Amino acid sequence: MIEFQGVSKSFWTGKQRKVILDRASFRVELGNSIGILAENGAGKTTLINMMAGLEKPDEGIIRKTSRVSFPLGFMGGVNSKISAHENCRYIARLYGLDPDYVESFCRWVCGLGEYFEMPLATYSSGMRSRFSFALLLSIEFDIYLIDEGMPATSDVEFNRKAGNILSERLKNATVVIVSHSAQTLQKFCRSAAVLKNGNLYQFETLEEAKRLYDYQA
């Protein structure tokens, strides 16, 4: 479970204060995957980062009682100066996992060949996305966080392989995905919410959320 209790978060843009959440309270329960609809600039990435513990609220409490993933595409936990091989073994030790398993899993999923032994700083954005996705999938979480705005990969074989693994993971896990597109959420979620002007409006169905989202758009 992830629970927000009276959480507020805002930023100064240089001209005005941008409010992401204004004393918001809500819960993400295990077994109930949720999609969050929000326009570009509404704070989708900030919200996901707060769920992951990467950003702190200005006020309020965020409680987590489950194993929550880092956001899909997040590269902050890896070292660009070392290879994917070395990063895998480092991350495995942080999570108390078998380094041999994490390394072999990511090597197989990524399909990066000789680049797997090269520093991440030499990777293209697509290669970095493939590695970060593989690293996410190598660890079993209760709740997976997906930010649709993260960099994507155009590698068809990788997308097929990673998509199949993610689908298997989600049979026994919960997903939180933020997007500006209801069509994207439809693939993963039954219930949905709308992030708008610092408020998060939760609904039992995606159709109900779409009506509010489309009305406010």
Side-chain angles (χ1 to χ4, degrees), residues 23 34 37 134 137 188 215:
R23 293 166 292 179
I34 183 170
L37 282 168
L137 294 176
F188 296 96
Y215 174 76

Side-chain angles (χ1 to χ4, degrees), residues 7-52:
V7 171
S8 295
K9 183 70 173 180
S10 63
F11 295 102
W12 177 251
T13 66
K15 295 183 178 179
Q16 60 182 352
R17 182 155 295 279
K18 174 67 177 180
V19 177
I20 306 301
L21 288 176
D22 182 15
R23 293 166 292 179
S25 298
F26 61 91
R27 298 173 74 175
V28 177
E29 301 280 3
L30 287 182
N32 183 29
S33 292
I34 183 170
I36 300 174
L37 282 168
E39 298 175 353
N40 291 329
K44 297 188 291 295
T45 297
T46 300
L47 178 59
I48 282 287
N49 284 347
M50 285 196 290
M51 290 183 179

Side-chain angles (χ1 to χ4, degrees), residues 28-99:
V28 177
E29 301 280 3
L30 287 182
N32 183 29
S33 292
I34 183 170
I36 300 174
L37 282 168
E39 298 175 353
N40 291 329
K44 297 188 291 295
T45 297
T46 300
L47 178 59
I48 282 287
N49 284 347
M50 285 196 290
M51 290 183 179
L54 299 174
E55 294 193 39
K56 302 296 183 183
D58 296 335
E59 60 181 44
I61 298 172
I62 300 175
R63 294 178 57 242
K64 292 185 287 187
T65 60
S66 307
R67 294 170 300 168
V68 180
S69 79
F70 47 89
L72 173 61
F74 175 68
M75 298 294 289
V78 300
N79 187 340
S80 295
K81 296 180 180 180
I82 62 177
S83 67
H85 172 187
E86 294 167 302
N87 270 292
C88 284
R89 304 188 74 83
Y90 169 69
I91 295 297
R93 287 190 287 270
L94 285 182
Y95 281 91
L97 301 173
D98 180 0

Side-chain angles (χ1 to χ4, degrees), residues 93-112:
R93 287 190 287 270
L94 285 182
Y95 281 91
L97 301 173
D98 180 0
D100 290 339
Y101 166 76
V102 174
E103 178 197 338
S104 60
F105 179 93
C106 290
R107 191 183 292 272
W108 170 69
V109 174
C110 285
L112 293 174

Side-chain angles (χ1 to χ4, degrees), residues 75 78-80 82-88 107 110-132:
M75 298 294 289
V78 300
N79 187 340
S80 295
I82 62 177
S83 67
H85 172 187
E86 294 167 302
N87 270 292
C88 284
R107 191 183 292 272
C110 285
L112 293 174
E114 62 185 11
Y115 281 96
F116 204 79
E117 304 297 336
M118 298 175 65
L120 267 61
T122 65
Y123 287 14
S124 67
S125 61
M127 292 165 66
R128 289 171 67 90
S129 293
R130 283 157 64 183
F131 176 66
S132 65

Side-chain angles (χ1 to χ4, degrees), residues 34 190-194 201-206 208-210 212:
I34 183 170
R190 297 181 194 172
S191 62
V194 177
Y201 305 93
Q202 287 187 283
F203 299 91
E204 291 187 3
T205 67
L206 178 57
E208 290 176 294
K210 280 175 59 179
L212 175 62

